[in-house]
Amino acid sequence: NAGVTQTPKFQVLKTGQSMTLQCAQDMNHNSMYWYRQDPGMGLRLIYYSASEGTTDKGEVPNGYNVSRLNKREFSLRLESAAPSQTSVYFCASSEGLARAYRQETQYFGPGTRLLVL
Amino acid sequence: TQLLEQSPQFLSIQEGENLTVYCNSSSVFSSLQWYRQEPGEGPVLLVTVVTGGEVKKLKRLTFQFGDARKDSSLHITAAQPGDTGLYLCAGVVGTSGSRLTFGEGTQLTVNP
């Protein structure tokens, strides 16, 4: 099992350009998440999908859109990139079982490093 | 937003020393998790604590959840260079999904 995979691993964009970050998991998980990690700020939740067909905003959703394409795939789109979106982006997944939410493990991908000039 | 504050932010120690990392909040969490992250990789779960006052041990690592479920600590005994990494605490928020609020992280360096 590959776990959680992310593409691309690294990307440089110019201000105003758009791009989509791809994420896929092969663990048959219901829930998927997108985080960004900036120095000194830990990880902040951008959007999440509790189950296939649903998406919800997290802590910092402005400037992003998401698509839960199917149970395996969850993409993050930057429509008009800004320098403030320079960050490392992590996708994660978890089983998404309501009865076990307090003890669920989130499995993270290796991250996408994005630089917006 | 429920905030988690970690301290210290940076810690550099010699091999064999003991250390404690703290994770504090004014909010109550359903449970709290500790993750470890190595450079260029995503975080990996170390432990989940659920019950107030709970103590869990993982080899040389001891995790404690505060009685009021607002804070937690990670204690490492006889640190080794392999313990080097970014340690993140994360509180489980909400009542039906495993949404996490992360602390800022503690960057630990253990020198040989």
Side-chain angles (χ1 to χ4, degrees):
Chain A
N1 287 353
V4 178
T5 56
Q6 293 183 235
T7 55
K9 291 185 178 180
F10 183 74
Q11 184 73 46
V12 179
L13 291 178
K14 295 181 179 179
T15 297
Q17 289 185 316
S18 62
M19 79 162 295
T20 299
L21 282 65
Q22 306 286 355
C23 173
Q25 51 90 11
D26 61 2
M27 297 175 280
N28 199 36
H29 284 170
N30 291 307
S31 299
M32 298 185 74
Y33 314 82
W34 275 106
Y35 294 90
R36 61 178 288 173
Q37 185 174 32
D38 303 293
M41 301 189 74
L43 281 86
R44 292 181 291 169
L45 183 64
I46 304 171
Y47 271 93
Y48 69 103
S49 172
S51 60
E52 184 179 359
T54 69
T55 59
D56 284 287
K57 295 179 180 179
E59 186 182 349
V60 288
N62 290 346
Y64 305 96
N65 285 300
V66 290
S67 295
R68 184 75 183 265
L69 304 172
N70 47 56
K71 192 172 186 178
R72 290 187 64 250
E73 299 172 289
F74 189 37
S75 63
L76 178 71
R77 183 161 178 82
L78 286 70
E79 292 290 352
S80 180
S84 61
Q85 294 178 305
T86 293
S87 188
V88 182
Y89 291 86
F90 288 97
C91 177
S93 71
S94 67
E95 285 189 289
L97 302 177
R99 67 178 184 276
Y101 76 93
R102 292 203 300 171
Q103 302 207 49
E104 282 209 340
T105 300
Q106 288 196 14
Y107 296 87
F108 286 81
T112 293
R113 283 140 189 85
L114 177 65
L115 174 62
V116 183
L117 301 174
Chain B
T1 302
Q2 296 169 279
L3 299 176
L4 276 169
E5 296 184 350
Q6 282 188 242
S7 61
Q9 191 173 357
F10 298 96
L11 191 55
S12 181
I13 61 172
Q14 294 300 120
E15 182 176 1
E17 292 184 357
N18 302 331
L19 67 113
T20 302
V21 176
Y22 299 93
C23 177
N24 296 299
S25 175
S26 59
S27 302
V28 175
F29 289 96
S30 302
S31 58
L32 200 138
Q33 299 183 327
W34 285 91
Y35 287 80
R36 181 178 159 207
Q37 185 178 17
E38 307 237 8
E41 298 180 6
V44 176
L45 181 68
L46 294 174
V47 77
T48 301
V49 284
V50 179
T51 306
E54 182 176 4
V55 177
K56 280 191 174 179
K57 292 190 175 183
L58 190 66
K59 296 182 180 179
R60 294 176 293 100
L61 279 62
T62 301
F63 304 85
Q64 185 163 8
F65 201 12
D67 291 340
R69 306 206 325 272
K70 294 181 179 182
D71 55 85
S72 181
S73 63
L74 158 61
H75 182 79
I76 301 179
T77 303
Q80 299 177 359
D83 295 327
T84 293
L86 180 67
Y87 290 83
L88 296 154
C89 65
V92 177
V93 301
T95 56
S96 62
S98 59
R99 292 176 56 189
L100 298 177
T101 293
F102 280 87
E104 314 98 315
T106 295
Q107 180 62 54
L108 172 65
T109 302
V110 182
N111 303 299

